């Protein structure tokens, strides 16, 4: 139940908030799949707790000093 | 005292007042100076790597070939794309971490303006609550909030003689306009022939693209309407923010969707 609410929120972010942020700040994520897609998949696959943990690790990897990873799907 | 206040709003307030004191006690100039300074300092974190962008253009035809080869198989395509990037040493974006940082600073700045430069109440006492002791104002100091024709604590609105609702003032209109241009510049420009060739995307992608397209026009309107309620200092900040955004973007990736406009301008001149 909570998981579904989370996934809905993520979709909301992806479809409405992210495009508007892109208008102000430009493109953000460097990975494929993007961090929001990754989070969505991780939570639906592994559950809220582990999925969120994985997502946080993923976002922590998503910075300009990281140069060797682009393709980084949910394991 | 919450942590957001302590870690972000207070340092920002102190930085702003530092610039206020350096730049001849003028709040308008201080806002311009401090926002320029912030953008400059954060530049290495947020700038997509310039060389990468140039390389990106070079490998575009190869990428198209990959897309054709792996049509319908997203996973394979992503993998092939990643391999290509790694081979050529391309870094496609700055990443989410600096992005988050930028959003947080944006929100903190907004908060600071609402807190300290609101139309009601005295900005000097409000700032003193946020300042570290060396920068504090003494009791008979007042912050100079007039800038050009504006008072930075008051919304930039004009009342016209025969219109009985307030209209957005010049600075606010300028801020909205520059924000529109920055959104335009940020959209990559695809020529018409390429657009027809690219019509093989998923529907969810289409929705997002459409959303973003409409945001390019609705966001500046938001700026106008929201700006009419908030301190005009915020409009000045927004103007500088968008202007530096355009500058960075043009420097690293060219003029984006403004390219056809520029071409028209050039043909008009010659």
């Amino acid at each position: 139940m909570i998981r579904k609410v989370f996934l809905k929120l993520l979709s909301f972010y992806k479809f409405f908030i992210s495009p508007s942020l892109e208008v102000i700040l430009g493109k953000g994520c460097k990975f494929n799949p993007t961090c929001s897609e990754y989070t969505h998949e991780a939570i639906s696959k592994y559950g809220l707790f582990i999925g969120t943990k994985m997502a946080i690790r993923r976002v922590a990897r998503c910075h300009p000093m990281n140069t060797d990873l682009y393709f980084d799907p949910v394991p | 005292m919450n942590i957001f206040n302590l870690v972000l709003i207070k340092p920002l307030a102190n930085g702003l007042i530092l610039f206020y004191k350096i730049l001849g006690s003028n709040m308008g100039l201080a806002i311009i100076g401090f926002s320029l300074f912030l953008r400059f300092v954060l530049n290495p974190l947020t700038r997509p790597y310039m060389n990468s962008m140039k390389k990106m253009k070079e490998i575009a035809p190869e990428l198209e070939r990959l897309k054709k080869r792996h049509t319908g198989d997203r996973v394979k395509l992503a993998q092939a794309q990643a391999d290509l990037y790694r081979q050529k040493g391309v870094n496609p974006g700055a990443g989410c971490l600096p992005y988050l940082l930028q959003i947080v600073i944006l929100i903190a700045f907004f908060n600071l303006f609402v807190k300290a430069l609101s139309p009601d109440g005295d900005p000097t006492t409000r700032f003193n609550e946020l300042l570290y002791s060396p920068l504090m104002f003494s009791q008979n100091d007042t912050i100079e909030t007039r800038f050009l024709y504006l008072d930075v604590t008051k919304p930039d609105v004009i009342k016209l003689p025969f219109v009985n609702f307030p209209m957005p003032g010049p600075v606010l209109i300028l801020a909205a306009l520059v924000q529109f241009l920055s959104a335009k510049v940020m959209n990559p420009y695809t020529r018409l022939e390429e657009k027809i060739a690219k019509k093989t995307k998923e529907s969810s992608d289409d929705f997002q693209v459409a959303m973003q397209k409409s945001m390019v026009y609705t966001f500046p309107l938001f700026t106008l309407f929201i700006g009419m309620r908030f301190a005009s200092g915020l409009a000045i900040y927004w103007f500088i923010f968008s202007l530096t955004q355009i500058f960075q973007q043009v420097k690293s990736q060219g003029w984006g969707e403004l390219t056809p406009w520029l071409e028209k301008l050039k043909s008009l001149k010659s």
Side-chain angles (χ1 to χ4, degrees), chain B residues 39-212:
Chain B
R39 292 290 278 186
F40 183 72
V41 167
L42 291 178
N43 192 25
L45 276 181
T46 54
R47 173 190 59 190
Y49 287 140
M50 267 158 52
N51 291 337
S52 295
M53 288 307 149
K54 274 181 201 137
K55 275 185 200 156
M56 214 65 143
K57 267 187 196 147
E58 284 167 23
I59 62 166
E62 269 181 75
L63 208 59
E64 280 305 311
R65 233 173 292 142
L66 283 181
K67 272 184 192 157
K68 259 187 208 138
R69 197 187 304 158
H70 299 288
T71 15
D73 192 349
R74 281 190 101 189
V75 180
K76 269 238 173 81
L77 174 63
Q79 182 120 46
Q81 198 178 350
D83 282 342
L84 182 64
Y85 282 174
R86 200 171 316 158
Q87 263 175 26
K88 306 278 172 180
V90 176
N91 201 347
C96 297
L97 217 51
Y99 207 73
L100 282 176
L101 186 74
Q102 251 186 321
I103 295 167
V104 167
I105 289 180
L106 214 61
I107 294 171
F109 229 113
F110 195 79
N111 253 316
L112 170 65
F113 276 91
V114 172
K115 257 194 185 137
L117 289 174
S118 58
D120 51 320
D122 173 29
T124 316
T125 45
R126 282 174 185 246
F127 262 113
N128 267 347
E129 284 166 22
L130 295 167
L131 293 176
Y132 305 135
S133 47
L135 282 170
M136 268 198 194
F137 292 100
S138 66
Q139 238 159 13
N140 37 18
D141 275 346
T142 45
I143 294 181
E144 176 61 55
T145 55
R146 276 171 302 163
F147 176 63
L148 301 176
Y149 70 97
L150 295 162
D151 182 334
V152 291
T153 61
K154 296 206 171 68
D156 179 22
V157 288
I158 304 178
K159 289 217 169 70
L160 293 175
F162 299 107
V163 189
N164 50 8
F165 51 87
M167 305 281 278
V171 168
L172 196 53
I173 291 176
L174 206 62
L177 187 72
V178 171
Q179 139 104 99
F180 169 70
L181 291 179
S182 104
K184 270 287 193 197
V185 165
M186 228 121 51
N187 268 347
Y189 172 52
T190 42
R191 282 168 202 281
L192 204 60
E193 312 92 67
E194 290 171 28
K195 254 183 210 164
I196 297 163
K198 269 189 185 161
K199 268 196 174 164
T200 44
K201 274 190 170 174
E202 283 185 19
S203 59
S204 68
D205 281 348
D206 279 349
F207 181 80
Q208 251 180 314
V209 169
M211 183 76 202
Q212 208 210 335

Side-chain angles (χ1 to χ4, degrees), chain A residues 6 10 29 31 34-43 46-63 66 72 74-75, chain B residues 95-98 100:
Chain A
F6 252 77
L10 268 173
C29 194
F31 284 119
T34 62
C35 289
S36 65
E37 286 164 353
Y38 184 94
T39 309
H40 195 283
E41 210 187 318
I43 289 181
Y46 293 98
L48 198 58
F49 188 69
I50 298 173
T52 309
K53 227 166 80 180
M54 287 168 73
I56 290 171
R57 285 218 187 110
R58 165 63 178 271
V59 173
R61 257 179 282 147
C62 193
H63 57 77
N66 187 351
D72 183 21
V74 178
Chain B
C96 297
L97 217 51
L100 282 176

